[in-house]
Amino acid sequence: MANTLSGNKWRTMQLQYRKKLLYKAEKLQQSWLDFSADGSADALIQLQRLSHQLAGSGAIYGFPEVSQLAQQLNKLLNADNITDNTALNLMHSALLSLIDELVNDSTGETDTQSYSQSLNQVTGEKSKVVFVDDDTDLLRHHTQALTDAGYVVIPLQDIKQLADTVRQEQPLAVICDMAFPEGETAGADCIQQVRQQQGAAFPVLFISAYDNFSNRLAAVRAGSSHYLAKPVSSEKLCQMLATLLQKPEQDPYRVMLIDDDNDVLRFYRQTLKLAGYQVYCCQQPKQALQLILRHLPELVLIDLHMPDCNGLELGQIIRQHSELIDTPIVFMSADESVDEKLAAVRLAGDEFIHKPIAPWRLLMVVEARVKRSRLLRQQKRQLMRQPELMQQLDTLTALPTLKQLHRDITALQQQQRPFYLLKLDLNKFHLVNDVYGHSTGDLLLQTAAWRLAQQLEATDKLYRQNGDEFWLLLHNDDTLSVNKLAEKLLFQLSHYTDELVKDINLTASIGICRPENYTEKAETLVQQANIALHDAKKNSGYQIRHYSSTMQSEISQRYQLQQSLKPALQQKAFYPVYQPIVDQTAQLCSVELLARWQHPQLGFISPEEFIPLLEEEGLITFLTLQMLQQGISQLAHWRKTQPNLRLSINFSAPDIANPELVQQLASLLAKHALPATALIIEITESILIEQNDIVMQQLSSLKQLGASIALDDFGTGFSSLSYLDRYPVDILKIDRSFINKLGDAKARRLTLAIIHLAHELNLRITAEGVEHPQQLLLLQQEKCHYFQGYYFSKPLIAADIDNKVSYSAKARYSD
């Protein structure tokens, strides 16, 4: 059953890819027309990019002819003389052949089935182990021990039976003797042949009576990292097999995939996820770097050919970050030429692998490197913990560390001496490292430590643990003088950065606390200073905050909410409500899908509070999918009564970046027999600010699907008319802040200007936050198309919308 499900999953992915080939054929044709018309450089780059992507993705999805023709075209497009007539004719001929293949190619089912089988094997869904050895007694002895250990053992004496057995049984692993009558390395030769023919990804454990270099080399080439010399005890064999198959379920290995080809990303991501890895994907180098710094993956795989920033350049940027200097990087490319740059990659300790990468080969490459990466990190942490000096003294600034701060606070409390504890944090200091490099960042930190120390009294102390955070212990009981000193410290930091680097405008924030009594522990006071600093950093610029119990309550509630998010999603505690949107005749035409949350302990939680938390925790896409499933199902029910009713859905930036978004929407619509024209996708201006290919590609795909695109909260962000020209927007939603101020002459003129602009661009207009009849009358006079707000209705549960739908239907039929 498990194999069937995995096979269906890969078959579905292949069919989806097949449908995209028609779209890529159209893009190739249009790019060629642009290039042949005026030699457009942008069109040539697009042709090179599309052919490169098809060369890689065609092979892994089981379309070898597509891959081969795309490689031929890509080679011609990257030749030196591409503008003479002969070269143009050759390119045009290659292009037509490729387009013809994209339009008429078969589905390539056989190749996908082999990949499916390969992936089923690595998921480990059955505990079958094939044991091959021509020694009958040894085979019987070890088979019994492995059976007692819980494995289903398939014993073989004839190595020639291995290929058929693997194909039929799809084992979890293979234990294989090296020497057979066919030759001293016949076991390795047969394993290697099975891998090549079947794409099999099972791990292999070799055992042999011959322990020499040539045998071990044959084992390595056959894809095995384990080789045991006979005699082998059954206990040792079981232990080695268990180690070989162990999957870190509680702490999965973290892998980052970076490739501008979404089809390739989806395939490799699914391969690694089925094998138990935690996989992060990205198509844009800048966003990829942010994800890498956030998740600290144990392996990064980067495609060499990407626009704006190629893979080698991104690898160099990654290496500029001290926390990533030991992270292994594997570069991928379908280009078979190995130039001096790739040689430099290897000399730097990184790896290179040719595309297309079969699943078994991808897993083999990944497994060895992530295990080594985690082991090295563990060893490094152990070494860093040992020296006593590292625990007491910061090596960059020579300041005492947080451990010494705890000791000093404890001593002052025991002596019952008053003091203030300050925590100072440099705002957005990571940008200094990113822009100017770590050497400049280190110099800034050392200079900051020096400047801060100059402002302190002889009895005060300054500390640094790591990063851009400093601690100050002031032997002072005067709040006013402490505040003045805090302001002076912030001024000094700003002043010295201007002298050091003219372009840096560094600011800082300070959190302050003092003990209420002499029984409070150092850990408590440190926590209070942290909480005060957290409150200070809510606002930009120079900020100083004193700790209060209110802050503690707020941060405790925030933490409680964060801890409740995953269980709430798992239990489907978030529920949908729908706010009616009416047309100029006040008839219901659509509803906006909104999420609500009734916390079991804290009561009703506003979306303005839980939506940002979900985005911070990386969980917003899960909530969106849950709301979509319920909202689209409900829409299907309502459209039986009101066929033209539409559903408006809010998408966040992570939703738009989700490579599976269009597929999920299409599946849900098909399940409920709804057209995509029934959906309105609402996005905010902040999503468009990135101006990247992902946003454009996703919005274009949604438009192709049939959905409308609405730009929400227009006018409240970084409004740019270029968004309306660049992106496929259909509807402008005027924010409620404009509607609320229609009584003000200046605000009214601005609102009317937005409406007139939308009319000129043939965009539909929705006015949000309509609460008074005077507002409605003015907006109707200005020919707004749709209206939403408490004047018509607050957000309602589905049962209440049922009544409105029924009423609207009766009114329509009576007319």
Side-chain angles (χ1 to χ4, degrees):
M1 181 65 177
N3 289 345
T4 302
L5 287 173
S6 293
N8 287 341
K9 183 179 294 183
W10 287 107
R11 181 63 178 153
T12 301
M13 285 183 62
Q14 190 194 37
L15 291 174
Q16 290 168 352
Y17 177 75
R18 180 70 189 87
K19 292 177 182 178
K20 288 185 178 180
L21 293 183
L22 298 175
Y23 171 65
K24 298 218 172 179
E26 294 175 2
K27 290 185 70 175
L28 278 168
Q29 192 168 21
Q30 184 59 52
S31 298
W32 175 259
L33 291 174
D34 294 341
F35 173 67
S36 57
D38 56 7
S40 167
D42 291 338
L44 176 61
I45 292 171
Q46 179 74 342
L47 285 168
Q48 291 170 337
R49 184 179 178 189
L50 286 169
S51 59
H52 173 75
Q53 290 180 349
L54 287 166
S57 62
I60 64 173
Y61 277 93
F63 296 83
E65 291 298 325
V66 169
S67 178
Q68 184 178 356
L69 292 170
Q71 285 179 0
Q72 294 172 0
L73 176 60
N74 187 256
K75 187 175 181 180
L76 292 170
L77 289 167
N78 284 279
D80 293 332
N81 300 319
I82 62 170
T83 55
D84 61 58
N85 290 332
T86 303
L88 288 171
N89 289 334
L90 287 173
M91 283 188 288
H92 189 218
S93 177
L95 178 78
L96 292 177
S97 298
L98 176 57
I99 290 176
D100 184 62
E101 189 67 30
L102 294 178
V103 174
N104 300 311
D105 191 11
S106 64
T107 58
E109 184 171 353
T110 303
D111 289 342
T112 299
Q113 287 176 341
S114 69
Y115 279 125
S116 166
Q117 292 169 0
S118 169
L119 288 160
N120 290 334
Q121 291 161 358
V122 282
T123 59
E125 296 175 69
K126 295 182 179 180
S127 56
K128 290 181 182 179
V129 176
V130 173
F131 197 144
V132 197
D133 200 309
D134 56 355
D135 186 332
T136 307
D137 294 333
L138 185 145
L139 185 61
R140 184 185 304 111
H141 174 70
H142 285 321
T143 296
Q144 185 60 52
L146 289 167
T147 302
D148 293 341
Y151 297 99
V152 177
V153 183
I154 304 167
L156 297 177
Q157 288 184 270
D158 188 352
I159 189 65
K160 293 191 292 293
Q161 297 176 355
L162 179 61
D164 290 338
T165 303
V166 168
R167 185 178 295 107
Q168 294 168 10
E169 301 293 343
Q170 298 189 12
L172 185 70
V174 172
I175 303 172
C176 188
D177 191 12
M178 182 65 73
F180 289 88
E182 289 79 3
E184 188 175 320
T185 61
D189 297 338
C190 184
I191 290 289
Q192 193 168 14
Q193 187 177 17
V194 170
R195 286 197 190 281
Q196 292 172 351
Q197 292 177 351
Q198 300 184 28
F202 51 80
V204 179
L205 176 61
F206 282 109
I207 58 175
S208 178
Y210 304 99
D211 187 5
N212 53 53
F213 182 83
S214 59
N215 280 16
R216 287 185 177 272
L217 178 60
V220 169
R221 289 176 175 174
S224 173
S225 57
H226 296 278
Y227 186 102
L228 297 177
K230 292 181 179 179
V232 182
S233 68
S234 295
E235 181 181 0
K236 176 71 173 177
L237 190 62
C238 291
Q239 181 183 8
M240 185 65 74
L241 185 61
T243 302
L244 187 68
L245 299 177
Q246 183 179 7
K247 290 185 179 180
E249 297 177 358
Q250 298 300 322
D251 186 15
Y253 291 109
R254 302 181 303 280
V255 178
M256 181 78 199
L257 294 172
I258 308 168
D259 197 311
D260 66 330
D261 189 338
N262 195 36
D263 294 319
V264 172
L265 271 187
R266 183 183 295 109
F267 189 92
Y268 291 158
R269 178 189 182 193
Q270 193 68 19
T271 301
L272 293 171
K273 284 182 68 177
L274 284 173
Y277 292 94
Q278 176 68 53
V279 186
Y280 306 97
C281 294
C282 197
Q283 294 178 272
Q284 297 295 322
K286 184 177 180 181
Q287 295 176 350
L289 180 63
Q290 295 171 352
L291 285 173
I292 292 171
L293 290 169
R294 184 187 310 164
H295 299 291
L296 296 178
E298 290 152 297
L299 176 67
V300 180
L301 293 100
I302 308 175
D303 184 43
L304 279 179
H305 298 278
M306 292 188 296
D308 302 327
C309 173
N310 66 53
L312 289 175
E313 293 170 332
L314 178 58
Q316 292 173 331
I317 293 172
I318 291 172
R319 287 285 181 255
Q320 290 175 352
H321 293 77
S322 59
E323 61 269 47
L324 303 174
I325 198 166
D326 296 322
T327 302
I329 299 175
V330 175
F331 295 95
M332 309 177 292
S333 177
D335 187 358
E336 296 183 357
S337 62
V338 180
D339 57 17
E340 56 190 26
K341 286 186 178 180
L342 297 182
V345 165
R346 291 195 174 99
L347 288 174
D350 295 319
E351 307 278 349
F352 175 78
I353 186 169
H354 289 294
K355 285 182 175 180
I357 311 171
W360 67 267
R361 187 163 166 247
L362 177 68
L363 293 170
M364 188 184 299
V365 168
V366 168
E367 181 181 5
R369 286 155 183 79
V370 293
K371 287 183 176 179
R372 182 175 60 185
S373 174
R374 181 169 292 188
L375 180 62
L376 288 173
R377 289 193 182 195
Q378 290 172 347
Q379 291 175 344
K380 185 175 180 180
R381 284 196 295 267
Q382 290 172 357
L383 288 172
M384 292 297 289
R385 292 192 195 103
Q386 290 176 2
E388 184 66 21
L389 182 62
M390 296 291 292
Q391 298 181 20
Q392 298 184 17
L393 196 67
D394 171 44
T395 55
L396 180 65
T397 61
L399 292 173
T401 63
L402 199 58
K403 186 172 184 179
Q404 186 59 44
L405 172 64
H406 280 246
R407 292 175 180 170
D408 292 342
I409 290 175
T410 301
L412 289 173
Q413 287 287 74
Q414 290 174 348
Q415 299 167 15
Q416 298 190 1
R417 296 176 58 187
F419 64 89
Y420 273 88
L421 176 63
L422 282 67
K423 184 178 182 182
L424 183 147
D425 179 82
L426 305 178
N427 298 328
K428 299 182 179 179
F429 179 76
H430 65 279
L431 294 176
V432 176
N433 285 332
D434 293 342
V435 175
Y436 297 98
H438 283 272
S439 58
T440 300
D442 289 346
L443 179 58
L444 277 174
L445 290 171
Q446 291 169 335
T447 311
W450 173 258
R451 292 276 181 170
L452 292 172
Q454 301 309 303
Q455 310 305 316
L456 303 182
E457 300 292 337
T459 54
D460 300 332
K461 285 189 177 181
L462 180 65
Y463 309 79
R464 176 179 179 265
Q465 182 67 19
N466 50 44
D468 54 1
E469 298 173 345
F470 294 89
W471 296 81
L472 298 95
L473 199 58
L474 307 180
H475 293 209
N476 196 325
D477 195 28
D478 182 9
T479 304
L480 182 59
S481 64
V482 168
N483 287 340
K484 287 183 178 179
L485 176 61
E487 293 172 359
K488 188 176 182 181
L489 294 173
L490 296 179
F491 172 78
Q492 286 293 324
L493 288 176
S494 172
H495 180 65
Y496 84 73
T497 53
D498 288 341
E499 294 177 351
L500 187 63
V501 181
K502 294 297 182 183
D503 295 336
I504 295 178
N505 180 22
L506 197 63
T507 61
S509 300
I510 294 178
I512 305 174
C513 76
R514 59 172 295 179
E516 294 295 329
N517 52 62
Y518 297 114
T519 61
E520 289 178 296
K521 294 182 179 180
E523 291 82 0
T524 302
L525 295 169
V526 166
Q527 182 185 13
Q528 291 177 359
N530 270 318
I531 291 171
L533 178 64
H534 181 270
D535 190 73
K537 290 178 74 67
K538 290 180 180 178
N539 298 314
S540 59
Y542 305 96
Q543 300 293 331
I544 300 172
R545 294 289 187 278
H546 284 260
Y547 170 79
S548 69
S549 58
T550 304
M551 295 178 186
Q552 178 72 62
S553 300
E554 290 176 356
I555 203 164
S556 296
Q557 179 171 325
R558 178 183 174 86
Y559 177 76
Q560 186 177 356
L561 288 177
Q562 284 177 322
Q563 297 302 304
S564 303
L565 290 175
K566 283 186 179 179
L569 285 169
Q570 291 167 352
Q571 298 161 14
K572 297 187 176 179
F574 296 95
Y575 61 93
V577 294
Y578 307 86
Q579 186 166 29
I581 301 174
V582 302
D583 60 19
Q584 287 188 324
T585 63
Q587 293 298 309
L588 180 67
C589 60
S590 59
V591 291
E592 181 176 357
L593 174 63
L594 303 167
R596 295 293 183 263
W597 184 20
Q598 189 73 23
H599 193 280
Q601 285 81 39
L602 301 175
F604 178 77
I605 307 298
S606 167
E608 294 179 355
E609 192 169 358
F610 69 74
I611 293 293
L613 286 177
L614 285 166
E615 291 179 343
E616 288 177 20
E617 297 295 315
L619 300 172
I620 189 64
T621 55
F622 296 99
L623 175 64
T624 302
L625 181 58
Q626 285 187 9
M627 292 298 105
L628 281 173
Q629 290 169 342
Q630 297 179 67
I632 290 178
S633 173
Q634 193 64 54
L635 178 65
H637 166 70
W638 288 328
R639 281 174 69 100
K640 293 176 183 177
T641 305
Q642 188 167 339
N644 294 324
L645 187 68
R646 303 175 78 190
L647 183 69
S648 194
I649 312 158
N650 292 282
F651 281 178
S652 65
D655 292 322
I656 293 295
N658 178 13
E660 299 175 359
L661 171 63
V662 179
Q663 175 194 340
Q664 290 171 346
L665 273 178
S667 298
L668 285 171
L669 290 168
K671 177 180 178 181
H672 296 284
L674 285 174
T677 52
L679 298 183
I680 301 172
I681 308 301
E682 293 195 17
I683 57 173
T684 59
E685 295 175 52
S686 59
I687 295 176
L688 303 184
I689 291 173
E690 294 294 333
Q691 299 183 9
N692 57 41
D693 292 341
I694 296 178
V695 175
M696 177 62 79
Q697 181 180 343
Q698 290 286 70
L699 294 182
S700 297
S701 297
L702 290 168
K703 284 282 290 184
Q704 278 193 323
L705 193 65
S708 297
I709 308 298
L711 188 55
D712 196 13
D713 300 336
F714 186 77
T716 60
F718 300 90
S719 300
S720 172
L721 298 182
S722 63
Y723 298 155
L724 305 180
D725 177 58
R726 185 182 303 113
Y727 294 99
V729 176
D730 303 294
I731 302 170
L732 279 190
K733 297 194 73 174
I734 303 175
D735 186 68
R736 66 183 67 250
S737 61
F738 289 93
I739 306 303
N740 290 340
K741 297 177 182 178
L742 285 177
D744 177 75
K746 184 176 180 181
R748 184 169 60 254
R749 285 196 298 271
L750 181 57
T751 304
L752 297 182
I754 294 175
I755 295 172
H756 296 160
L757 169 66
H759 284 313
E760 288 294 324
L761 296 174
N762 292 320
L763 299 176
R764 311 293 281 178
I765 309 160
T766 300
E768 293 184 293
V770 178
E771 297 182 357
H772 305 292
Q774 297 87 346
Q775 296 171 340
L776 175 62
L777 181 60
L778 175 62
L779 293 167
Q780 284 176 327
Q781 291 172 350
E782 296 300 324
K783 294 184 172 53
C784 270
H785 302 95
Y786 310 113
F787 309 92
Q788 179 179 1
Y790 277 30
Y791 180 73
F792 305 100
S793 175
K794 64 180 182 179
L796 304 172
I797 61 174
D800 292 335
I801 295 290
D802 281 338
N803 297 331
K804 286 187 174 290
V805 169
S806 300
Y807 176 81
S808 179
K810 290 178 182 177
R812 185 173 67 254
Y813 294 142
S814 64
D815 292 341

